[in-house]
């Protein structure tokens, strides 16, 4: 820390980990952002993005004032003029096509707790059911699968574990502060199993490295279940209190270690050893990484992994996977805001996602814009995201965005999607706004 400067404690909001930071300022100007050693999550650690927060804040490339595109030329306007213009255009579109003709997309930068609820509240007031977010392609598959299996999303308790499984994750690159907990557990004798197509740094440290064929995680999880069930390595008290065990057994019977070896390219002996190690070295925890979301069978794959956690008695126990305890905060959403009988975009194709997650499916917005099915989308607000880089089939996405009657982008910089917008509203960094964050995963 830099002594003699004005210092404030806050959290970093560049990603969804929300590490504790200490911000130092001199004469009203921030000069450094460093990890907070007293924060219970990151304990002083900070990634390169976190340290670069000052550069982000004072970047010369930031857009500092609202701009409106008039005859293909950007013109700076006041906030009052920009907001009045946006409100007028949205009212006109709602009058002509109905409130459902507006969609709002939130990227990762918008925040996950209060900020997203505020955007959702705006959609409720406007009357559109088409609030959607980056969750459509990140994390929600794991969230849904864990909820469907046992009602919530538990997180690994590394430090108290005797067997750690890192499945489709790379903490050295993404969650650096997890590495300390893993190391401490290893020093106490914990086994480390890594499942990944690539030999990452964490994989090079593993006792067992299962280098599987990309996209075959579900077959691997079912094969491990096959070993655990056939050798009766599961917790019988869990089976007695569960529904669907016989159906799971029947499904796992199809995936012997030999069959899984042909599918996953992981040796049969390694699959069996990994299953036995995880089932017998209790308590054990599994980190379900982001890579699991990025396949068409993601939900069913994670349901199989969640079944591994539950059947071995590692659910919600010290050293296993723990449920968090979020505070009881009132929702900012308004019930009954959307037009009666109007479905969200994607609700017909992805009913489970839309029902459980309460959002439209953003990946189908280009189809709705270009084909008018299930109804035309004429306006889009993008907050803290970049669909041209994030959504599949970028050429079709660009075609759809160019076909909108009105596009508003809120961001720090003039990115690819902002170039197509009619209005750009500059956003604030986390160092310039108030925000609430709670940490349900910190329960120990």
């Amino acid at each position: 820390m830099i002594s003699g400067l004005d210092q404030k404690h806050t959290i970093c909001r560049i990603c969804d980990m929300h590490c504790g930071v200490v911000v130092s300022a001199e004469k009203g100007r921030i000069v450094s952002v460093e990890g907070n050693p007293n924060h219970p999550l990151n304990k002083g650690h900070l990634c390169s993005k976190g340290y670069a927060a000052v550069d982000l804040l004072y970047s010369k490339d930031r857009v500092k004032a609202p701009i409106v595109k008039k005859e293909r030329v950007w013109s700076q306007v006041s906030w009052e003029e920009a907001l009045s213009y946006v409100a007028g255009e949205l009212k006109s579109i709602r009058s002509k096509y109905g409130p459902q003709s507006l969609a709002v997309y939130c990227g990762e930068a918008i925040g996950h707790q209060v900020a997203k609820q505020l955007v959702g509240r705006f959609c409720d007031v406007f009357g559109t059911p088409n609030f959607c977010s980056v969750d459509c392609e990140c994390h929600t598959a794991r969230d849904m699968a864990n909820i469907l299996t046992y009602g919530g999303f538990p997180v690994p308790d590394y430090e108290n574990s005797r067997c750690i499984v890192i499945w489709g994750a790379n903490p050295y690159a993404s969650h650096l502060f997890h590495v300390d907990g893993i190391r401490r557990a290893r020093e106490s004798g914990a086994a480390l199993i890594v499942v990944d197509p690539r030999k990452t740094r964490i994989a090079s440290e593993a006792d067992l490295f299962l280098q599987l064929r990309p996209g075959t995680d579900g077959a691997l999880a079912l094969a491990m279940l096959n070993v655990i069930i056939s050798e009766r390595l599961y917790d019988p008290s869990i089976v007695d209190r569960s529904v669907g065990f016989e159906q799971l057994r029947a499904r796992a019977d199809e995936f012997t270690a030999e069959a899984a070896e042909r599918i996953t390219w992981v040796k049969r002996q390694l699959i069996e050893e990994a299953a036995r190690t995880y089932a017998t070295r209790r308590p054990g925890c599994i980190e379900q990484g982001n890579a699991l979301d990025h396949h068409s069978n993601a939900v069913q794959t994670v349901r199989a992994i969640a079944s591994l956690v539950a059947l071995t008695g590692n659910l919600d126990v010290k050293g296993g996977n723990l449920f968090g305890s979020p505070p009881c905060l009132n929702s900012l959403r308004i019930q009954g805001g959307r037009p009666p009988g109007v479905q969200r975009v994607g609700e017909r194709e992805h009913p489970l996602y839309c029902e459980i997650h309460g959002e439209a499916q953003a990946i189908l917005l280009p189809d709705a814009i270009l084909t008018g099915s299930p109804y035309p989308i004429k306006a889009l607000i993008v907050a803290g995201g970049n669909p041209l880089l994030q959504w599949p089939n970028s050429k079709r996405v660009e075609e759809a965005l160019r076909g909108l009657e009105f596009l508003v982008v809120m961001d720090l910089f003039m990115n690819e999607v902002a170039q197509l917008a009619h209005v750009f509203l500059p956003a604030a960094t986390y160092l310039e706004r108030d925000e609430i964050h709670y940490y349900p995963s910190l329960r120990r």
Side-chain angles (χ1 to χ4, degrees), residues 26 35 82 88 106 114 136 153 215 221 241 273 278 280 312-313 342 347-348 361 372 396:
E26 184 176 20
C106 290
V114 175
C136 68
F153 191 94
R241 293 182 281 127
E273 186 178 0
Y278 174 67
T280 58
T312 53
V342 176
E347 194 163 346
R348 182 178 65 249
Q361 174 48 270
R396 184 170 174 80

Side-chain angles (χ1 to χ4, degrees), residues 165-343:
V165 182
I166 306 294
W167 202 315
N170 185 8
Y172 278 107
S174 54
H175 300 156
L176 191 59
F177 53 84
H178 286 170
V179 174
D180 276 355
I182 294 170
R183 282 177 174 166
R184 281 191 285 271
R186 297 279 280 151
E187 290 168 359
S188 298
L192 176 62
I193 301 171
V194 174
V195 181
D196 203 300
R198 301 181 305 137
K199 190 171 184 179
T200 59
R201 181 175 174 182
I202 193 72
S204 68
E205 299 176 1
D207 298 297
L208 299 174
F209 173 38
L210 282 62
Q211 191 169 18
L212 81 171
R213 179 185 178 188
T216 63
D217 305 79
L220 177 60
L222 285 165
M224 292 176 66
L225 283 166
N226 179 293
V227 174
I228 290 168
I229 293 173
S230 63
E231 297 183 8
R232 301 186 66 83
L233 300 177
Y234 56 85
D235 184 340
S237 67
I238 299 296
V239 174
D240 294 341
R241 293 182 281 127
S242 302
V243 175
F245 175 71
E246 291 305 322
Q247 291 91 328
L248 179 64
R249 184 206 295 269
R251 185 63 171 147
D253 280 346
E254 302 173 29
F255 290 85
T256 62
E258 292 86 353
E261 180 177 344
R262 293 192 295 272
I263 298 170
T264 66
W265 302 343
V266 178
K267 295 296 184 183
R268 170 183 62 81
Q269 297 85 349
L270 195 55
I271 295 173
E272 293 172 342
E273 186 178 0
R276 292 172 186 141
T277 301
Y278 174 67
T280 58
R281 290 179 66 92
R282 304 180 192 173
C285 64
I286 300 180
E287 167 66 29
Q288 303 169 21
N290 224 42
L292 294 169
D293 296 335
H294 299 155
H295 300 285
S296 59
N297 58 350
V299 172
Q300 300 303 337
T301 291
V302 178
R303 287 184 72 190
I305 296 172
S307 297
L308 283 170
V309 176
L311 281 181
T312 53
N314 285 312
L315 180 63
D316 209 30
V317 297
K318 187 176 181 179
N321 285 70
L322 295 171
F323 287 119
S325 303
C328 296
L329 302 178
N330 289 333
S331 174
L332 297 176
R333 302 298 300 274
I334 299 173
Q335 298 299 317
R338 70 177 180 176
V342 176
Q343 289 189 322

Side-chain angles (χ1 to χ4, degrees), residues 19 34 38 42 64 73 265 288 300 370 386 405 435:
C19 293
E34 302 179 36
N38 298 317
N42 58 307
K64 301 290 184 66
V73 177
W265 302 343
Q288 303 169 21
Q300 300 303 337
L370 293 172
N386 190 347
E405 290 191 14
E435 195 169 307

